[in-house]
Amino acid sequence: MYIPCIFRSITGYRCPCCGTTTMCVSILKFRFSDAFYANPFIFTTIPFILFEIVYNVYLSYTEKCMPLWNKILLGVYCSALLIFAIIRDFM
C-alpha cells in the first residue's frame, strides 16, 4: 500500500517527489535498480539530503544561522529538482 500523490491525482502529472515511497521500499528490499527507476534524482542525491539534515540539526543546536553558501546550494538543488520533474513529465 503506497501513499497516493495528490498533485498527480489532480493534474495527471508527476510531482518532483513522485516515486519516493516506492524508492524507499525498494531500498529497504535492497533493490537499488528499482529504487533508481522510481525516482532517479532523489535516489542519486540521497547523500546530499542526509548531509543537509545533519547540518541543519547541527545549526539548530549551535543556534547559528544558515550561511549564504548553503542557502544558494539549496536553491540550486530545488531548481534542479523542478527541472528534473518538468523533463520527466514532458519527455
Side-chain angles (χ1 to χ4, degrees), residues 6 19 21-22 25 40 50 59 61-62 65 68 75 84:
I6 295 171
T21 304
T22 303
V25 171
L50 293 175
L59 288 176
Y61 278 122
T62 58
C65 294
L68 179 61
F84 160 75

Side-chain angles (χ1 to χ4, degrees), residues 8-76:
R8 190 171 187 178
S9 299
I10 294 171
T11 65
Y13 296 110
R14 292 179 285 184
C15 75
C17 295
C18 272
T20 302
T21 304
T22 303
M23 180 192 71
C24 291
V25 171
S26 297
I27 289 171
L28 291 174
K29 292 180 179 180
F30 298 103
R31 297 179 181 164
F32 298 110
S33 61
D34 292 343
F36 179 80
Y37 180 74
N39 193 321
F41 187 85
I42 299 290
F43 181 79
T44 56
T45 59
I46 286 174
F48 173 75
I49 295 167
L50 293 175
F51 166 77
E52 282 298 324
I53 291 169
V54 171
Y55 186 63
N56 280 294
V57 168
Y58 165 75
L59 288 176
S60 67
Y61 278 122
T62 58
E63 298 180 359
K64 294 182 179 179
C65 294
M66 184 181 292
L68 179 61
W69 66 266
N70 198 16
K71 291 178 182 178
I72 293 170
L73 188 61
L74 287 172
V76 169

